[in-house]
Amino acid sequence: MKCAFGKADILTTVSNTLTQLKDSESIIAQVLSEVTTKTNIIDKLVLENEQLKHNVQELNLRLNSVMADTMNKSGTFENTNDEYSNTKLAQRFDSHVKQIWIEVNDEIEEEFNEVDRLSILSEMCQNVFTAFHTEVDFANQRILDSIFSDEKTFDDSLLKEVRSARKLYSGKSTTREKQIEKILQSIQWSKEINRIISERPETLIKTFLAELADVSWLMVTSNPPLILNFDVKGKEYTARIKERFVECGTSEAISHCKCEPGHVLLVAWPSVELENNKGYLTKGEVVVMPNEINNKMTI
């Protein structure tokens, strides 16, 4: 029996098969080339994505730095991560320092009546803060005078720059310790307070002064600086003062005090405020002189 396919047919079939194989190889090569191209594009996109992430992180860091610096210089906002922010300083003064103040008040209870104790502690507090406030204000003025000696007045932005630079270093422990020691030694105490301090070298009074001095330094070197308000003493206890001070009741009758009824006899605890009456952070406490009826009722 003869084969249905001739030799020519076999050769044609083989040729066609080889052609198909070549076409398949070409297609496979093309596909592989496209896969390689796509892979390279993907790898490039991955690298670009990583670079973009890095750039975004860098921009965020720079933005945070700029914002922190802007807040610091402007004094309008606070950096909540700053342990020496005005809000945290006010809280520290009104909690930690005040607690020691209460303990000192109890410590000298047997030696003085209530009003005298509050007056002595108020005077101590005011003397310390005033000393720090005066020193820093004078130092800031010296800096501005040395740079702009021909100017009679200074733009607020210049003072903010000086305060911003001072704040960067004021929180350092070595700077604080030196300044606090120097300023505390410069205070001229009254004979009464000097006696109390000298008779109690290792008591809460020294701790109170140290804590008060430390927070006072941080307050006056902040930007904007904080102040302790004692200025309402002797003024009528009006609604305006009530916004920043609460009345502090006394357990002992108030007598022999030169103060008009309804007026602030003394600032037992100052309010913490921004300078130039721009607002307050914590309220203070005042003793108000009672009128005759209230005074008789107390007795």
Side-chain angles (χ1 to χ4, degrees):
M1 184 176 179
K2 291 185 179 179
C3 180
F5 297 98
K7 187 175 183 180
D9 293 332
I10 295 173
L11 290 174
T12 300
T13 301
V14 170
S15 177
N16 291 337
T17 301
L18 290 173
T19 301
Q20 291 176 359
L21 288 173
K22 287 180 180 180
D23 291 341
S24 296
E25 289 178 355
S26 176
I27 293 172
I28 292 172
Q30 184 178 352
V31 170
L32 289 175
S33 177
E34 291 179 358
V35 169
T36 302
T37 301
K38 298 288 186 183
T39 301
N40 290 337
I41 292 174
I42 292 172
D43 290 341
K44 184 179 179 181
L45 288 174
V46 170
L47 289 174
E48 290 178 353
N49 186 50
E50 291 299 321
Q51 184 62 46
L52 285 173
K53 286 182 179 179
H54 178 73
N55 291 342
V56 170
Q57 291 175 348
E58 288 292 323
L59 286 173
N60 282 334
L61 290 174
R62 290 172 59 187
L63 178 61
N64 290 336
S65 177
V66 170
M67 287 297 294
D69 186 57
T70 301
M71 289 188 293
N72 185 37
K73 289 180 179 179
S74 68
T76 305
F77 305 101
E78 284 191 333
N79 179 0
T80 55
N81 294 323
D82 183 5
E83 64 175 314
Y84 301 134
S85 67
N86 282 347
T87 299
K88 291 183 179 180
L89 288 176
Q91 290 173 347
R92 174 182 168 188
F93 177 76
D94 205 46
S95 57
H96 178 63
V97 180
K98 189 174 186 179
Q99 181 56 42
I100 304 174
W101 171 79
I102 293 172
E103 293 172 4
V104 172
N105 185 41
D106 293 339
E107 185 179 83
I108 60 175
E109 182 177 4
E110 295 182 0
E111 192 171 349
F112 303 96
N113 65 44
E114 189 173 9
V115 171
D116 287 345
R117 291 198 308 273
L118 293 175
S119 297
I120 289 170
L121 291 174
S122 178
E123 183 182 345
M124 291 174 68
C125 192
Q126 186 171 8
N127 285 353
V128 169
F129 182 79
T130 300
F132 281 86
H133 187 268
T134 302
E135 174 66 23
V136 171
D137 273 359
F138 184 59
N140 289 343
Q141 192 63 39
R142 284 203 311 267
I143 293 172
L144 291 172
D145 287 341
S146 65
I147 301 174
F148 308 99
S149 56
D150 295 332
E151 301 290 335
K152 293 182 179 180
T153 59
F154 307 104
D155 189 90
D156 286 344
S157 62
L158 296 176
L159 182 57
K160 287 178 180 178
E161 289 289 345
V162 171
R163 287 173 170 173
S164 177
R166 181 183 294 281
K167 181 176 172 61
L168 290 175
Y169 297 97
S170 62
K172 294 183 177 181
S173 58
T174 53
T175 301
R176 286 158 66 184
E177 290 171 4
K178 290 180 180 179
Q179 293 294 336
I180 289 171
E181 182 180 3
K182 181 186 74 173
I183 297 173
L184 277 179
Q185 290 179 352
S186 70
I187 298 176
Q188 299 296 317
W189 301 109
S190 66
K191 290 183 179 180
E192 190 68 52
I193 294 178
N194 195 51
R195 180 183 65 80
I196 293 172
I197 295 173
S198 61
E199 289 180 354
R200 296 171 172 81
E202 302 297 335
T203 60
L204 285 169
I205 288 181
K206 285 295 180 72
T207 302
F208 172 63
L209 288 176
E211 292 296 322
L212 174 61
D214 191 56
V215 76
S216 293
W217 168 256
L218 293 171
M219 283 181 175
V220 298
T221 57
S222 189
N223 186 28
L226 295 176
I227 63 170
L228 299 183
N229 187 357
F230 293 90
D231 295 339
V232 298
K233 181 178 179 180
K235 296 181 180 179
E236 185 178 1
Y237 189 54
T238 60
R240 184 177 179 82
I241 294 179
K242 289 178 182 179
E243 291 177 356
R244 305 190 181 202
F245 291 88
V246 296
E247 184 174 358
C248 174
T250 59
S251 58
E252 300 175 6
I254 299 175
S255 59
H256 308 295
C257 294
K258 296 180 180 180
C259 182
E260 295 184 35
H263 287 61
V264 176
L265 175 62
L266 63 91
V267 177
W269 188 251
S271 58
V272 180
E273 305 184 8
L274 294 171
E275 65 176 358
N276 299 327
N277 201 34
K278 292 181 179 178
Y280 71 94
L281 282 78
T282 60
K283 285 191 173 185
E285 297 181 20
V286 292
V287 175
V288 179
M289 188 68 184
N291 56 43
E292 290 185 8
I293 295 177
N294 288 340
N295 202 27
K296 288 180 180 178
M297 288 178 63
T298 304
I299 295 173

